[in-house]
Amino acid sequence: MQVTPLMMGVITAFLAVTAQAFLFMQPPPAYGLCIVCHGRDLIIWIVSALIGTKRDVAAISAYWPLLTVVGIFLGSRYAAVTSGENRPVTGEHPVVAFLCGMGVMMLGLIIMGCPTRLLLRTAYGDVAGAVGVVSLLVGVVAATLVMRWRAKR
C-alpha cells in the first residue's frame, strides 16, 4: 500500500493529538521545529537517562525525549527510498562536511535556535534576533549560489 503525504499527515496529526491528550505532552512556547534545539534536548535526555542526572532542558524534554530529529531522518529516508532518489551524492570531503555541520549547530545554539525563535525575538525588538534573521537570509542565499555554481561545473 502506497502511503500518500495526506495519509502521513493525518496519521502524524492523530499521533500528536494522542500524545498531547494521554501523555500530557505540550510543546513549549516559541520552540518551533528546530533540529538544533531538538537535537540538543534529545542528546541531553539520552545522556541524563544513561548516567542518572537531571540536566536543564525544555519542559517537554524533561520526561520524554523529543524524537523530532529521528522522525525527520526516518521520514526523509522513507521518501528517498519510495521515490527512487536513494543514491549516494558525492560532495565535500567528509571531514569538511562534518566541520561545516558542527559549525551550523554551534551557531544555531549561540543564536538560540530556529528561525521561528529568531523571528519572535526580532518581533520583540531584540537586535540580536534581527541580526540573526539577516545572517540566516544571507547564509541561505550564499549557500544556494554556491550549490548552483557547483551544479554547473
Side-chain angles (χ1 to χ4, degrees), residues 44-152:
I44 290 172
W45 189 90
I46 290 170
V47 170
S48 294
L50 289 176
I51 63 175
T53 61
K54 198 69 166 171
R55 302 286 300 177
D56 229 4
V57 293
I60 192 170
S61 300
Y63 307 105
W64 193 257
L66 283 176
L67 299 175
T68 312
V69 176
V70 176
I72 289 173
F73 173 77
L74 292 176
S76 61
R77 179 85 171 139
Y78 175 78
V81 168
T82 57
S83 68
E85 294 184 13
N86 186 32
R87 62 187 178 280
V89 178
T90 58
E92 295 289 333
H93 189 275
V95 174
V96 174
F98 175 78
L99 291 174
C100 288
M102 194 169 71
V104 167
M105 292 294 281
M106 281 193 244
L107 290 171
L109 290 171
I110 289 170
I111 62 168
M112 304 292 276
C114 62
T116 304
R117 193 176 284 180
L118 283 178
L119 289 172
L120 287 170
R121 289 177 65 175
T122 303
Y124 281 107
D126 185 11
V127 175
V131 170
V133 169
V134 171
S135 300
L136 179 70
L137 292 173
V138 168
V140 167
V141 169
T144 303
L145 293 174
V146 168
M147 289 171 60
R148 284 185 176 178
W149 175 73
R150 286 190 176 182
K152 289 180 182 178

